[in-house]
């Protein structure tokens, strides 16, 4: 009704999980990186949680659109099933034929195993995504864990992504699901949007819908943040009703009064956010400010101790350490055999690709300066450093290492995990485990990591008009 009035091509605040309207906040980028890691990882589950309406399903549909053609996907949106029904649903999604009326778990498992082996033999991947996973019973979660036991000598045959509300985390922490929890190699929780992100979110959606100008005043957006609590679904409900109200009143701009009236209608005069009296608000504000000052001081203290990678990599290291307790051993090799005994590429470009892939991006250039300029567009700094003591064990993966063989031939590897005296590195298309002492003997001390730029940074990562070689994976 209001689209013609505001010159919109479609309703910008529909509740449908349309990937075109997905607003990628920093949290959503990190969640996407975890999902990408879950797709690439051969050894466990990826877990994304968040409150109702924070964009988990939309993000996952965006992921599906970006997956390479060699990925077979099964998407379960209603997991409140019995074990037999869940296995039948998985067969239906993968288009696996099974006897009509079958209720035998063994028959389902055998058919799924045969299918996964066939997919693997054709150098393809199988991915199972389960939405609303908080509805899964303990019995179903255990069955999913058993499905990940389907494997070859080198890797698991099925990758699983779970999307759910926060209570899913509590369920997975129960003692009976400890083995399941240990197989989660990537997990992330999506929280509400900040005030600035709410403004960007609203602007993003109305521009996708064809708006040429801003439709919401700054005070109305501030009000929207307070009323919605930063939850995208609530933002959509309020904004949709506000646009309708403004249209009926022939107003071209949505002000605070119109937005407040829309919120009262949406929430039936009971907004979800508690109203604080002025003195309590000031008191809590001062307490929060004091805490923020202390936290900032601690962060600055740690930042001054050396290059600090993006937070995603810190979490990945912890996830890898947990997963390592369950995963089979990768081949152990000595770098002194390279390149005669390890026929893989050790180019710098390949190492950069692995580094960015671990953060959910693709990279298509071998130019060092282009790489460092392009990652600046992501709010990251490309940090070149050298450790004269060559303390590999002090690095935080992922990091690109400059190595050399016994013939002093230079090559590059990506350090992706450290556990005790063992390092996991990627050389070209192979991932291997090596002793830290062997890696140290071939390492020049030069390394490259990525770290988050400070919020106040206003510089540009590249010259104007230069096309970026870094993009979200699959785009």
């Amino acid at each position: 009704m209001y689209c013609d009035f505001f010159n919109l091509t479609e309703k910008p605040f529909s509740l449908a999980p349309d990937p075109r309207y997905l607003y990628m906040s920093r949290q959503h980028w990190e969640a996407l990186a975890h999902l990408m890691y879950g797709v690439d990882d051969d050894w466990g589950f990826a877990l994304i949680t968040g409150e109702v309406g924070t964009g988990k399903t939309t993000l996952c549909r965006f992921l599906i659109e970006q997956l390479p053609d060699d990925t077979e996907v099964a998407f379960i949106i209603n997991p409140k099933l019995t074990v037999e029904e869940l296995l039948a649903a998985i067969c239906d999604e993968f288009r696996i034929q099974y006897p009509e009326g079958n209720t035998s778990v063994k028959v389902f498992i055998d058919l799924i195993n045969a299918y996964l082996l066939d997919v693997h033999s054709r150098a393809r991947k199988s991915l199972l995504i389960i939405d609303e996973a908080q509805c899964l019973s303990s019995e179903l979660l255990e069955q999913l864990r058993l499905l990940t036991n389907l494997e070859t000598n080198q890797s698991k045959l099925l990758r699983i992504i779970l999307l759910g509300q926060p209570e899913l985390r509590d369920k997975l922490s129960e003692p009976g699901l400890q083995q399941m929890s240990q197989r989660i190699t990537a997990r992330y929780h999506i929280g509400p949007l900040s005030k600035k992100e709410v403004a960007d979110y609203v602007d993003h959606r109305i521009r996708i819908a064809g708006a040429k100008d801003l439709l919401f005043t700054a005070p109305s957006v501030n009000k929207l943040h307070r009323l919605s609590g930063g939850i995208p679904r609530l933002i959509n409900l309020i904004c949709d009703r506000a646009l309708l109200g403004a249209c009926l009143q022939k107003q071209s701009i949505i002000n605070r009064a119109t937005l407040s009236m829309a919120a009262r209608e949406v929430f039936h005069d009971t907004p979800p956010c508690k109203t604080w009296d002025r003195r309590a608000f000031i008191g809590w504000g001062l307490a929060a400010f004091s805490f923020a000052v202390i936290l900032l001081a601690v962060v600055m203290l740690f930042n001054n101790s050396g290059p600090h990678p993006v937070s995603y990599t810190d979490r990945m290291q912890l996830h890898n350490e947990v997963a390592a307790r369950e995963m089979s051993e990768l081949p152990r090799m000595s770098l002194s055999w390279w390149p005669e005994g390890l026929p893989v590429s050790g180019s710098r470009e390949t190492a950069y690709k692995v580094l960015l892939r671990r953060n959910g991006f693709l990279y298509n250039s071998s130019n060092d300066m282009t790489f460092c300029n392009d990652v600046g567009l992501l709010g990251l700094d490309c940090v070149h450093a050298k450790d004269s003591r060559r303390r590999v064990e002090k690095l935080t993966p992922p990091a690109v290492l400059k190595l050399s063989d016994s013939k002093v031939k230079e090559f590059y590897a990506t350090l992706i995990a450290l556990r005790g005296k063992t390092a996991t590195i990627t050389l070209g298309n192979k991932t291997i485990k090596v002793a830290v002492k062997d890696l140290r003997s071939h390492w020049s001390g030069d390394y490259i990591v990525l770290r988050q730029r400070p919020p106040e940074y206003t510089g540009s990562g590249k010259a104007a008009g230069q096309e970026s070689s870094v993009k979200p994976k699959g785009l």
Side-chain angles (χ1 to χ4, degrees), residues 47-54 56 79-80 131-138 141 162-175 177 180-181 184 187-190 233:
L47 173 67
I48 300 296
T49 57
E51 296 291 347
V52 176
T54 49
K56 302 182 296 295
K80 208 165 187 179
D131 201 0
E132 303 295 343
Q134 75 279 353
C135 297
L136 291 168
S137 65
S138 298
L141 288 169
L162 301 178
L163 309 174
Q165 296 172 23
E167 51 264 36
L168 177 59
R169 294 183 301 177
D170 300 331
K171 181 177 291 187
L172 291 172
S173 65
E174 295 174 1
L177 294 173
M180 170 74 173
S181 182
I184 299 174
R187 64 178 78 204
Y188 190 80
H189 182 77
I190 302 176
R233 184 174 298 173

Side-chain angles (χ1 to χ4, degrees), residues 426-463:
T426 296
L427 279 170
N429 60 355
K430 289 188 178 294
T431 300
I432 62 173
K433 283 191 173 183
V434 297
V436 170
K437 62 178 182 180
D438 289 336
L439 183 61
R440 187 188 300 116
S441 66
H442 291 271
W443 180 38
S444 66
D446 294 298
Y447 65 96
I448 298 173
V449 294
L450 301 179
R451 69 179 179 188
Q452 193 71 46
R453 280 181 175 168
E456 65 273 11
Y457 182 87
T458 58
S460 173
K462 64 173 188 173

Side-chain angles (χ1 to χ4, degrees), residues 162-463:
L162 301 178
L163 309 174
Q165 296 172 23
E167 51 264 36
L168 177 59
R169 294 183 301 177
D170 300 331
K171 181 177 291 187
L172 291 172
S173 65
E174 295 174 1
L177 294 173
Q178 184 178 9
Q179 291 188 55
M180 170 74 173
S181 182
Q182 288 176 349
R183 292 196 183 185
I184 299 174
T185 57
R187 64 178 78 204
Y188 190 80
H189 182 77
I190 302 176
L193 301 177
S194 66
K195 183 187 296 185
K196 181 183 183 304
E197 288 172 336
V198 168
D200 292 340
Y201 175 88
V202 171
D203 181 57
H204 170 76
R205 293 191 73 107
I206 63 175
R207 291 193 183 280
I208 293 295
K212 303 300 182 183
D213 302 307
L214 295 177
L215 301 181
F216 292 77
T217 65
S220 68
V221 172
N222 292 339
K223 182 77 171 179
L224 176 63
H225 174 254
R226 291 196 298 272
L227 292 172
S228 67
I231 302 298
R233 184 174 298 173
L234 296 181
I235 295 173
N236 288 358
L237 289 170
I238 296 172
C239 288
D240 183 73
R241 189 63 187 83
L243 287 171
L244 178 60
C247 173
L248 295 175
Q249 300 175 55
K250 306 299 181 184
Q251 297 177 351
S252 59
I253 295 293
I254 289 80
N255 54 31
R256 287 188 58 179
T258 303
L259 191 85
S260 297
M261 184 180 299
R264 285 195 295 271
E265 294 182 10
V266 168
F267 300 125
H268 306 288
D269 291 326
T270 309
C273 301
K274 182 176 179 181
T275 302
W276 300 86
D277 64 57
R278 185 178 181 84
R279 286 175 296 178
F281 180 81
I282 293 175
W284 280 105
L286 290 175
F289 177 76
S290 300
F291 176 76
V293 171
I294 296 173
L295 181 62
L296 178 61
V298 173
V299 170
M300 291 179 65
L301 176 63
F302 278 96
N303 280 347
N304 288 336
S305 64
H308 188 68
V310 293
S311 58
Y312 165 71
T313 61
D314 296 332
R315 281 189 290 275
M316 284 299 95
Q317 183 185 13
L318 296 177
H319 299 329
N320 288 341
E321 290 175 355
V322 173
R325 289 194 287 266
E326 291 288 325
M327 64 190 294
S328 301
E329 286 292 322
L330 290 167
R332 296 181 66 94
M333 300 183 183
S334 170
L335 287 180
S336 59
W337 301 346
W338 197 95
E340 293 82 5
L342 191 59
V344 297
S345 169
S347 69
R348 181 172 55 188
E349 177 185 6
T350 303
Y352 284 163
K353 286 181 178 179
V354 175
L355 180 64
L356 276 178
R357 191 175 181 84
R358 287 273 159 174
N359 289 274
F361 297 92
L362 286 178
Y363 179 64
N364 299 309
S365 174
S366 59
N367 185 300
D368 184 21
M369 292 306 296
T370 301
F371 170 79
C372 291
N373 287 341
D374 283 344
V375 296
L377 299 177
L378 309 177
L380 304 174
D381 273 329
C382 178
V383 180
H384 295 255
K386 185 176 180 66
D387 190 327
S388 59
R389 299 181 182 179
R390 296 189 295 180
R391 298 172 297 181
V392 175
E393 63 276 11
K394 297 298 183 181
L395 297 180
T396 302
V400 172
L401 307 182
K402 184 179 179 181
L403 307 171
S404 61
D405 64 4
S406 56
K407 300 178 182 178
V408 200
K409 180 178 179 180
E410 292 183 353
F411 62 102
Y412 293 81
T414 308
L415 175 68
I416 59 175
L418 280 168
R419 185 166 180 256
K421 298 180 180 180
T422 302
T424 303
I425 64 172
T426 296
L427 279 170
N429 60 355
K430 289 188 178 294
T431 300
I432 62 173
K433 283 191 173 183
V434 297
V436 170
K437 62 178 182 180
D438 289 336
L439 183 61
R440 187 188 300 116
S441 66
H442 291 271
W443 180 38
S444 66
D446 294 298
Y447 65 96
I448 298 173
V449 294
L450 301 179
R451 69 179 179 188
Q452 193 71 46
R453 280 181 175 168
E456 65 273 11
Y457 182 87
T458 58
S460 173
K462 64 173 188 173

